[in-house]
Amino acid sequence: MSTILTQEQKAVQRQIATQQTIRLMQLVELPYTSLEQEILKEVDENPALEAYSDEEDERRDVAEDNAPSEFDENGDPLELSDKLLPEDEIFKEDYYRDDDIDDYPSEQEIENRIQHLNAPDEGNTRDRQGVFYNSLQEQWQLQLGAMEMSEQESLIADYLMGNLDVSGYLSSDLQTIVNELLYIQNVYTDVEEVEYVLTHFIQELDPPGTGARDLQECLLLQLRKMADDSESVQLAVRMLESCYDLFLKKHYDKIMTALEASDEQIKEALAVIKKLDPRPADAGSPLEKSADIIHPDFIITAHDGKLELSLNNQYIPKVRINKEFSNEYRFLSKEKSAQRREEAEKFMKEYVDKANQFIGTLTTREMILYNTMYAIMKHQRAYFLTGSDTELKPMILKTIAQEVGLDISTVSRVSNSKYVQTDFGVIPLKHLFSEAVNDDDVSSKVIKSILSDVIAHEDKSKPLADEKLCDILKSKGYNVARRTIAKYREQLGIPVARMRKEMK
């Protein structure tokens, strides 16, 4: 039996992503604010690029039109004049003598002058004032620093504070903390001392509820720090202390019996508990919340039943080839040394090529974003005219990708972390995508919107079960299965009927 080896050629077609394609995909995915930073970074790294605004461009063109030419009619640079200036013109400017060295500006004065000259003109730029605040960890550290405690207690308090999670809870077991303090910090202590530091210092920190080990303790800490000592607050404390399991299950009749309280008293105590924050430190400081500003990437406006789309790139820096850099490139033709000219040309050409590629990539990015958003706008025309979720049509990434002629991953990048400004608010693009329900021309967003509305208006003393919600939707013309109702309810963060029950 013999083996015959043969060699043949096959043409295999492969798609290889070039560096420019990878760069394009990175820029497509960037939201408004990140793109601005990326452009400025590229300008800083590439001397062949310059950022400009339309106003600066107009002023520069006027100045150049009025300036005397530095080149002759053939494009060659003019020779420097050999004409000597009169002595009175040469020495009419102030100058420093060696014996005036003490009058030179200091390095700090020079730096201040440079900063002043480079400062943007307030009349031609946006307000970019930042918000400065202490982080929650820094606030806690300041509060601990104002408390009287021993060195040992201070070490334990610092370690406990470092173990609080993003919501302000201490999830670690106290015995684990004791062991870690011994092995990591070389601090010998016991559970009793750690608990003392926790309850007397950490749990005294603001916001109230900080340092709680579970939800029950978190709510009780907030209630006990209230300045209000009314009967409703006292009853709320008793309810959480002795009837916590009944409270979680919403067995209010049993709570009334156990606490010997009336229906009205229980309702007032529940109203107090509802005002408490189950995650006191979750969102950081109030200033941190206010500093989170959304910048839309697209703007859609409606006029007489017609929609107009534009990219929100008003404040995105525009870039072009730096004229001074290109002029230096032209002067290289006069360089006598062929080797030096070749080296300089290679060096400058590399930067110019990179600049042209970056400008082309930005242009392609704008085209991709505009075409993709235009296709989305056409599919969701009724929604953009009314702002009602019930007008949303089923729309998936594949549909838009096929219409625009792009890959699904590219459309996904466009819709990721981007927003569109409409006449009824700023909307995340992800909100506009949804699947059809039961292969009908009905979006899952429509079903969720109706479901939320029905539950919002239900009788809270007798909340609707999933089967009843299913019947209501069917009566409205939406044939949805019970398991689908349950899935959408969970996605909306709405609990089951028993957990939605409230007292009349």
Side-chain angles (χ1 to χ4, degrees):
M1 186 175 182
S2 60
T3 304
I4 300 175
L5 299 177
T6 61
Q7 187 178 27
E8 60 180 277
Q9 288 183 330
K10 286 185 179 180
V12 180
Q13 195 174 34
R14 295 181 179 177
Q15 186 177 7
I16 301 175
T18 64
Q19 287 294 332
Q20 193 170 356
T21 304
I22 295 172
R23 182 63 168 149
L24 173 62
M25 292 301 100
Q26 291 173 343
L27 293 178
V28 163
E29 194 166 11
L30 288 179
Y32 180 101
T33 49
S34 299
L35 176 66
E36 182 180 13
Q37 296 169 5
E38 191 67 23
I39 291 175
L40 294 176
K41 177 185 174 184
E42 191 77 22
V43 170
D44 286 340
E45 294 176 352
N46 191 340
L49 272 177
E50 69 172 351
Y52 72 98
S53 65
D54 290 334
E55 292 180 1
E56 290 174 354
D57 201 29
E58 290 176 5
R59 289 197 297 267
R60 177 173 176 170
D61 289 342
V62 171
E64 289 181 353
D65 289 341
N66 296 331
S69 176
E70 298 177 2
F71 303 91
D72 60 21
E73 57 185 10
N74 297 321
D76 294 326
L78 296 173
E79 296 294 334
L80 292 176
S81 174
D82 293 331
K83 182 181 178 181
L84 296 176
L85 293 174
E87 287 188 3
D88 59 335
E89 288 191 29
I90 295 175
F91 297 105
K92 69 179 180 181
E93 295 293 336
D94 293 334
Y95 66 100
Y96 289 107
R97 298 189 306 273
D98 290 341
D99 54 354
D100 291 332
I101 193 69
D102 293 337
D103 295 330
Y104 279 20
S106 65
E107 290 185 5
Q108 184 61 47
E109 288 174 330
I110 293 173
E111 185 178 341
N112 292 338
R113 292 180 189 180
I114 292 173
Q115 290 178 353
H116 176 73
L117 291 172
N118 291 335
D121 182 4
E122 294 181 357
N124 297 324
T125 57
R126 289 179 292 164
D127 182 12
R128 288 183 176 271
Q129 292 181 342
V131 179
F132 299 92
Y133 55 90
N134 290 329
S135 68
L136 203 53
Q137 288 280 345
E138 290 172 330
Q139 292 178 32
W140 285 338
Q141 195 68 58
L142 290 171
Q143 293 176 53
L144 285 177
M147 297 178 181
E148 292 185 7
M149 62 180 86
S150 66
E151 184 178 350
Q152 170 96 343
E153 290 170 342
S154 179
L155 290 171
I156 296 172
D158 283 337
Y159 193 79
L160 286 170
M161 186 188 69
N163 278 271
L164 300 181
D165 63 20
V166 293
S167 298
Y169 283 80
L170 179 67
S171 54
S172 298
D173 179 74
L174 293 187
Q175 183 59 56
T176 302
I177 297 291
V178 171
N179 296 338
E180 290 176 351
L181 280 167
L182 178 61
Y183 296 132
I184 300 174
Q185 302 284 346
N186 199 27
V187 174
Y188 181 79
T189 183
D190 52 32
V191 172
E192 288 72 21
E193 185 178 24
V194 171
E195 185 165 18
Y196 177 84
V197 174
L198 175 67
T199 55
H200 286 74
F201 300 110
I202 298 297
Q203 291 184 353
E204 289 299 316
L205 298 173
D206 286 326
T210 298
R213 286 162 283 186
D214 52 40
L215 177 61
Q216 181 183 17
E217 188 174 32
C218 178
L219 298 178
L220 285 169
L221 285 171
Q222 294 178 59
L223 287 171
R224 288 166 181 157
K225 276 197 170 186
M226 281 187 172
D228 181 12
D229 194 27
S230 63
E231 291 184 5
S232 299
V233 174
Q234 294 177 22
L235 184 59
V237 171
R238 290 173 55 205
M239 186 187 301
L240 293 179
E241 284 178 337
S242 58
C243 303
Y244 186 65
D245 289 339
L246 296 176
F247 165 76
L248 291 178
K249 297 175 182 177
K250 295 196 172 185
H251 291 166
Y252 300 127
D253 293 339
K254 294 181 180 180
I255 293 175
M256 281 190 287
T257 302
L259 299 181
E260 297 181 351
S262 66
D263 182 271
E264 188 64 29
Q265 288 174 323
I266 294 296
K267 282 168 61 177
E268 291 176 358
L270 290 173
V272 172
I273 295 174
K274 281 184 178 181
K275 295 178 181 178
L276 305 178
D277 191 348
R279 297 180 177 180
D282 200 28
S285 68
L287 285 175
E288 189 173 359
K289 288 183 180 179
S290 64
D292 188 14
I293 301 172
I294 293 175
H295 295 278
D297 301 85
F298 309 94
I299 301 173
I300 292 180
T301 53
H303 298 286
D304 300 326
K306 295 182 179 179
L307 297 174
E308 293 182 6
L309 168 66
S310 62
L311 295 176
N312 185 24
N313 56 4
Q314 180 182 0
Y315 296 113
I316 295 295
K318 297 180 180 180
V319 291
R320 64 185 173 194
I321 301 296
N322 190 320
K323 278 193 175 184
E324 294 180 4
F325 192 86
S326 61
N327 286 340
E328 291 179 17
Y329 188 75
R330 291 175 62 186
F331 275 111
L332 287 175
S333 60
K334 301 298 180 183
E335 176 62 52
K336 294 180 180 180
S337 171
Q339 183 179 355
R340 288 183 59 188
R341 182 169 67 246
E342 184 179 349
E343 291 175 354
E345 282 181 350
K346 183 180 179 181
F347 170 78
M348 300 183 75
K349 186 177 184 299
E350 184 180 345
Y351 277 115
V352 171
D353 288 345
K354 285 183 179 179
N356 280 321
Q357 283 184 1
F358 185 70
I359 293 170
T361 303
L362 287 177
T363 303
T364 305
R365 176 191 182 273
E366 285 197 356
M367 181 183 68
I368 289 174
L369 262 62
Y370 185 89
N371 290 344
T372 304
M373 190 67 233
Y374 188 80
I376 294 172
M377 184 180 71
K378 283 202 308 180
H379 274 269
Q380 304 293 3
R381 182 176 182 276
Y383 171 78
F384 285 115
L385 288 173
T386 62
S388 173
D389 278 0
T390 57
E391 297 292 344
L392 280 171
K393 303 296 181 186
M395 185 180 70
I396 57 176
L397 295 172
K398 184 179 179 180
T399 303
I400 300 301
Q402 290 175 343
E403 184 166 332
V404 184
L406 296 170
D407 191 80
I408 294 178
S409 62
T410 304
V411 177
S412 176
R413 286 185 172 94
V414 173
S415 61
N416 185 39
S417 303
K418 290 186 178 61
Y419 296 81
V420 53
Q421 179 180 313
T422 69
D423 294 334
F424 45 86
V426 177
I427 310 297
L429 258 61
K430 285 185 177 180
H431 178 73
L432 305 172
F433 288 88
S434 61
E435 294 183 349
V437 179
N438 298 334
D439 297 326
D440 296 330
D441 191 27
V442 178
S443 168
S444 59
K445 290 287 177 65
V446 174
I447 303 298
K448 290 179 181 179
S449 178
I450 296 172
L451 186 62
S452 297
D453 186 64
V454 170
I455 293 176
H457 293 89
E458 69 183 355
D459 182 357
K460 297 303 179 183
S461 63
K462 297 178 180 179
L464 301 169
D466 290 345
E467 292 83 356
K468 184 60 178 176
L469 292 170
C470 186
D471 293 337
I472 292 174
L473 282 168
K474 285 181 180 178
S475 69
K476 293 179 178 290
Y478 302 102
N479 189 19
V480 185
R482 187 200 62 79
R483 63 178 179 274
T484 305
I485 293 293
K487 181 179 74 172
Y488 289 168
R489 177 179 51 72
E490 290 174 1
Q491 289 176 355
L492 291 167
I494 300 174
V496 295
R498 177 174 57 82
M499 299 304 295
R500 302 198 305 271
K501 187 176 180 181
E502 297 179 3
M503 300 187 67
K504 283 186 177 180

Short mmCIF file of all heavy atoms in Angstrom, two decimals, residues 376 380 383-384 387-393 395 415-420 424 426-435 443-446 448-449 492:
data_model
loop_
_atom_site.label_atom_id
_atom_site.label_comp_id
_atom_site.label_asym_id
_atom_site.label_seq_id
_atom_site.Cartn_x
_atom_site.Cartn_y
_atom_site.Cartn_z
N ILE A 376 -32.90 54.03 11.76
CA ILE A 376 -33.66 53.86 13.00
C ILE A 376 -34.83 54.84 13.06
O ILE A 376 -35.95 54.48 13.43
CB ILE A 376 -32.74 54.06 14.23
CG1 ILE A 376 -31.69 52.95 14.30
CG2 ILE A 376 -33.54 54.10 15.52
CD1 ILE A 376 -30.63 53.16 15.36
N GLN A 380 -38.88 53.98 13.40
CA GLN A 380 -39.60 54.42 14.60
C GLN A 380 -40.21 55.80 14.40
O GLN A 380 -40.29 56.60 15.33
CB GLN A 380 -38.66 54.42 15.81
CG GLN A 380 -37.99 53.10 16.10
CD GLN A 380 -38.96 52.02 16.54
OE1 GLN A 380 -40.17 52.23 16.58
NE2 GLN A 380 -38.45 50.85 16.85
N TYR A 383 -43.01 56.83 16.76
CA TYR A 383 -42.52 57.08 18.12
C TYR A 383 -41.90 58.46 18.23
O TYR A 383 -42.17 59.20 19.20
CB TYR A 383 -41.50 56.00 18.50
CG TYR A 383 -40.79 56.29 19.80
CD1 TYR A 383 -41.41 56.06 21.03
CD2 TYR A 383 -39.50 56.80 19.81
CE1 TYR A 383 -40.76 56.34 22.22
CE2 TYR A 383 -38.83 57.08 20.99
CZ TYR A 383 -39.48 56.84 22.19
OH TYR A 383 -38.83 57.11 23.37
N PHE A 384 -41.07 58.85 17.26
CA PHE A 384 -40.41 60.15 17.33
C PHE A 384 -41.38 61.32 17.14
O PHE A 384 -41.09 62.44 17.54
CB PHE A 384 -39.29 60.23 16.29
CG PHE A 384 -38.06 59.46 16.66
CD1 PHE A 384 -37.65 58.37 15.92
CD2 PHE A 384 -37.32 59.79 17.78
CE1 PHE A 384 -36.52 57.64 16.26
CE2 PHE A 384 -36.19 59.08 18.14
CZ PHE A 384 -35.79 58.00 17.38
N GLY A 387 -43.66 60.33 20.94
CA GLY A 387 -42.97 60.10 22.20
C GLY A 387 -43.61 59.03 23.04
O GLY A 387 -43.21 58.82 24.20
N SER A 388 -44.57 58.30 22.49
CA SER A 388 -45.28 57.26 23.24
C SER A 388 -44.64 55.90 22.97
O SER A 388 -44.45 55.50 21.82
CB SER A 388 -46.76 57.23 22.83
OG SER A 388 -47.41 56.13 23.42
N ASP A 389 -44.36 55.15 24.05
CA ASP A 389 -43.77 53.82 23.90
C ASP A 389 -44.71 52.86 23.17
O ASP A 389 -44.26 51.86 22.60
CB ASP A 389 -43.42 53.24 25.26
CG ASP A 389 -42.09 53.76 25.78
OD1 ASP A 389 -41.45 54.56 25.07
OD2 ASP A 389 -41.70 53.40 26.91
N THR A 390 -46.01 53.15 23.20
CA THR A 390 -46.96 52.27 22.53
C THR A 390 -46.81 52.35 21.01
O THR A 390 -47.36 51.51 20.29
CB THR A 390 -48.40 52.64 22.91
OG1 THR A 390 -48.65 54.01 22.58
CG2 THR A 390 -48.63 52.44 24.41
N GLU A 391 -46.08 53.35 20.51
CA GLU A 391 -45.87 53.50 19.07
C GLU A 391 -44.57 52.85 18.60
O GLU A 391 -44.25 52.88 17.42
CB GLU A 391 -45.85 54.99 18.69
CG GLU A 391 -47.15 55.72 18.94
CD GLU A 391 -48.27 55.26 18.01
OE1 GLU A 391 -47.96 54.60 16.99
OE2 GLU A 391 -49.44 55.54 18.31
N LEU A 392 -43.81 52.26 19.54
CA LEU A 392 -42.56 51.61 19.16
C LEU A 392 -42.83 50.36 18.34
O LEU A 392 -43.69 49.54 18.69
CB LEU A 392 -41.75 51.25 20.40
CG LEU A 392 -40.95 52.37 21.05
CD1 LEU A 392 -40.38 51.92 22.38
CD2 LEU A 392 -39.84 52.85 20.14
N LYS A 393 -42.10 50.18 17.25
CA LYS A 393 -42.20 49.01 16.40
C LYS A 393 -41.09 48.02 16.75
O LYS A 393 -40.01 48.43 17.17
CB LYS A 393 -42.11 49.40 14.92
CG LYS A 393 -43.15 50.42 14.48
CD LYS A 393 -44.54 49.86 14.58
CE LYS A 393 -45.57 50.88 14.10
NZ LYS A 393 -46.95 50.39 14.32
N MET A 395 -37.89 46.12 16.40
CA MET A 395 -36.71 46.48 15.62
C MET A 395 -35.49 45.83 16.28
O MET A 395 -35.23 46.03 17.46
CB MET A 395 -36.54 48.00 15.59
CG MET A 395 -35.40 48.50 14.71
SD MET A 395 -35.30 50.32 14.73
CE MET A 395 -34.72 50.61 16.41
N SER A 415 -25.24 51.92 18.66
CA SER A 415 -26.32 52.05 19.65
C SER A 415 -25.82 51.98 21.09
O SER A 415 -26.54 52.33 22.02
CB SER A 415 -27.37 50.95 19.43
OG SER A 415 -26.80 49.68 19.58
N ASN A 416 -24.59 51.54 21.28
CA ASN A 416 -24.06 51.37 22.63
C ASN A 416 -23.64 52.70 23.23
O ASN A 416 -22.84 53.44 22.67
CB ASN A 416 -22.86 50.41 22.59
CG ASN A 416 -22.34 50.10 23.97
OD1 ASN A 416 -23.13 49.94 24.91
ND2 ASN A 416 -21.04 50.00 24.11
N SER A 417 -24.18 53.01 24.39
CA SER A 417 -23.81 54.22 25.16
C SER A 417 -24.07 55.51 24.40
O SER A 417 -23.38 56.51 24.62
CB SER A 417 -22.33 54.16 25.56
OG SER A 417 -22.06 53.01 26.30
N LYS A 418 -25.03 55.53 23.53
CA LYS A 418 -25.35 56.76 22.79
C LYS A 418 -26.81 57.15 23.02
O LYS A 418 -27.66 56.30 23.29
CB LYS A 418 -25.06 56.59 21.30
CG LYS A 418 -23.57 56.50 21.00
CD LYS A 418 -23.29 56.48 19.51
CE LYS A 418 -21.81 56.45 19.24
NZ LYS A 418 -21.15 55.27 19.79
N TYR A 419 -27.06 58.44 22.87
CA TYR A 419 -28.38 58.99 23.16
C TYR A 419 -28.83 59.89 22.02
O TYR A 419 -28.01 60.45 21.28
CB TYR A 419 -28.35 59.80 24.46
CG TYR A 419 -28.04 58.98 25.69
CD1 TYR A 419 -26.72 58.65 26.01
CD2 TYR A 419 -29.04 58.53 26.54
CE1 TYR A 419 -26.42 57.89 27.14
CE2 TYR A 419 -28.75 57.78 27.67
CZ TYR A 419 -27.44 57.46 27.96
OH TYR A 419 -27.15 56.73 29.06
N VAL A 420 -30.16 60.03 21.89
CA VAL A 420 -30.73 60.91 20.89
C VAL A 420 -31.64 61.92 21.61
O VAL A 420 -32.46 61.55 22.45
CB VAL A 420 -31.53 60.13 19.82
CG1 VAL A 420 -32.57 59.21 20.44
CG2 VAL A 420 -32.17 61.09 18.83
N PHE A 424 -39.29 65.31 23.15
CA PHE A 424 -39.87 64.89 24.43
C PHE A 424 -38.83 64.34 25.39
O PHE A 424 -39.15 63.64 26.34
CB PHE A 424 -40.96 63.83 24.18
CG PHE A 424 -40.57 62.76 23.20
CD1 PHE A 424 -39.88 61.63 23.60
CD2 PHE A 424 -40.89 62.90 21.86
CE1 PHE A 424 -39.51 60.67 22.70
CE2 PHE A 424 -40.53 61.93 20.94
CZ PHE A 424 -39.85 60.80 21.36
N VAL A 426 -34.36 63.19 26.21
CA VAL A 426 -33.17 62.48 25.71
C VAL A 426 -33.38 60.99 25.92
O VAL A 426 -33.66 60.54 27.04
CB VAL A 426 -31.90 62.96 26.44
CG1 VAL A 426 -30.69 62.18 25.97
CG2 VAL A 426 -31.69 64.45 26.20
N ILE A 427 -33.24 60.21 24.85
CA ILE A 427 -33.56 58.79 24.86
C ILE A 427 -32.31 57.97 24.55
O ILE A 427 -31.60 58.28 23.59
CB ILE A 427 -34.65 58.46 23.81
CG1 ILE A 427 -35.85 59.40 23.94
CG2 ILE A 427 -35.08 57.00 23.92
CD1 ILE A 427 -36.57 59.31 25.25
N PRO A 428 -32.02 56.92 25.32
CA PRO A 428 -30.92 56.02 24.94
C PRO A 428 -31.32 55.21 23.71
O PRO A 428 -32.46 54.75 23.59
CB PRO A 428 -30.75 55.12 26.17
CG PRO A 428 -32.06 55.18 26.88
CD PRO A 428 -32.64 56.54 26.60
N LEU A 429 -30.38 55.03 22.78
CA LEU A 429 -30.70 54.31 21.55
C LEU A 429 -31.14 52.88 21.83
O LEU A 429 -31.95 52.31 21.08
CB LEU A 429 -29.49 54.31 20.61
CG LEU A 429 -29.57 55.31 19.44
CD1 LEU A 429 -29.66 56.74 19.97
CD2 LEU A 429 -28.36 55.18 18.52
N LYS A 430 -30.62 52.28 22.88
CA LYS A 430 -30.99 50.90 23.21
C LYS A 430 -32.49 50.78 23.47
O LYS A 430 -33.07 49.70 23.29
CB LYS A 430 -30.20 50.43 24.43
CG LYS A 430 -28.74 50.11 24.14
CD LYS A 430 -28.06 49.54 25.38
CE LYS A 430 -26.62 49.14 25.09
NZ LYS A 430 -25.95 48.59 26.28
N HIS A 431 -33.10 51.86 23.93
CA HIS A 431 -34.53 51.84 24.23
C HIS A 431 -35.37 51.60 22.98
O HIS A 431 -36.51 51.14 23.07
CB HIS A 431 -34.93 53.17 24.89
CG HIS A 431 -36.39 53.27 25.20
ND1 HIS A 431 -36.99 52.57 26.23
CD2 HIS A 431 -37.40 53.99 24.61
CE1 HIS A 431 -38.28 52.85 26.26
NE2 HIS A 431 -38.55 53.70 25.30
N LEU A 432 -34.81 51.93 21.81
CA LEU A 432 -35.57 51.85 20.57
C LEU A 432 -35.56 50.45 19.96
O LEU A 432 -36.31 50.18 19.02
CB LEU A 432 -35.00 52.85 19.55
CG LEU A 432 -34.92 54.30 20.03
CD1 LEU A 432 -34.17 55.15 19.02
CD2 LEU A 432 -36.32 54.86 20.26
N PHE A 433 -34.71 49.57 20.48
CA PHE A 433 -34.62 48.20 19.95
C PHE A 433 -35.44 47.24 20.81
O PHE A 433 -35.39 47.30 22.04
CB PHE A 433 -33.17 47.74 19.91
CG PHE A 433 -32.34 48.42 18.85
CD1 PHE A 433 -31.70 49.62 19.12
CD2 PHE A 433 -32.22 47.87 17.59
CE1 PHE A 433 -30.94 50.25 18.15
CE2 PHE A 433 -31.47 48.49 16.61
CZ PHE A 433 -30.83 49.69 16.88
N SER A 434 -36.18 46.39 20.16
CA SER A 434 -36.97 45.38 20.87
C SER A 434 -37.40 44.31 19.88
O SER A 434 -37.43 44.53 18.67
CB SER A 434 -38.20 46.01 21.53
OG SER A 434 -39.05 46.59 20.55
N GLU A 435 -37.75 43.15 20.42
CA GLU A 435 -38.19 42.04 19.59
C GLU A 435 -39.71 42.05 19.47
O GLU A 435 -40.41 42.64 20.29
CB GLU A 435 -37.72 40.71 20.19
CG GLU A 435 -36.21 40.54 20.19
CD GLU A 435 -35.79 39.19 20.73
OE1 GLU A 435 -36.66 38.48 21.28
OE2 GLU A 435 -34.60 38.85 20.59
N SER A 443 -44.20 45.36 19.46
CA SER A 443 -42.93 45.38 20.17
C SER A 443 -43.12 44.94 21.61
O SER A 443 -44.15 45.21 22.25
CB SER A 443 -42.33 46.78 20.12
OG SER A 443 -41.26 46.91 21.02
N SER A 444 -42.10 44.28 22.15
CA SER A 444 -42.13 43.92 23.57
C SER A 444 -42.17 45.16 24.45
O SER A 444 -42.69 45.13 25.56
CB SER A 444 -40.91 43.06 23.92
OG SER A 444 -39.71 43.77 23.63
N LYS A 445 -41.63 46.28 23.93
CA LYS A 445 -41.67 47.54 24.69
C LYS A 445 -43.11 48.01 24.88
O LYS A 445 -43.46 48.60 25.90
CB LYS A 445 -40.86 48.62 23.95
CG LYS A 445 -39.36 48.37 23.96
CD LYS A 445 -38.77 48.64 25.33
CE LYS A 445 -37.28 48.33 25.37
NZ LYS A 445 -36.49 49.19 24.53
N VAL A 446 -43.96 47.77 23.87
CA VAL A 446 -45.37 48.15 23.97
C VAL A 446 -46.05 47.34 25.06
O VAL A 446 -46.80 47.88 25.89
CB VAL A 446 -46.09 47.95 22.61
CG1 VAL A 446 -47.58 48.20 22.75
CG2 VAL A 446 -45.49 48.85 21.55
N LYS A 448 -44.64 45.87 27.62
CA LYS A 448 -44.10 46.30 28.91
C LYS A 448 -44.71 47.62 29.37
O LYS A 448 -45.00 47.82 30.55
CB LYS A 448 -42.58 46.42 28.84
CG LYS A 448 -41.85 45.09 28.72
CD LYS A 448 -40.34 45.30 28.62
CE LYS A 448 -39.62 43.98 28.47
NZ LYS A 448 -38.15 44.15 28.35
N SER A 449 -44.91 48.54 28.42
CA SER A 449 -45.50 49.83 28.75
C SER A 449 -46.93 49.67 29.26
O SER A 449 -47.33 50.27 30.27
CB SER A 449 -45.48 50.75 27.52
OG SER A 449 -46.09 51.98 27.80
N LEU A 492 -38.96 44.38 34.32
CA LEU A 492 -39.32 45.73 34.75
C LEU A 492 -39.05 45.96 36.23
O LEU A 492 -39.20 47.07 36.73
CB LEU A 492 -40.81 45.99 34.46
CG LEU A 492 -41.22 46.10 32.99
CD1 LEU A 492 -42.73 46.04 32.85
CD2 LEU A 492 -40.68 47.38 32.38
#
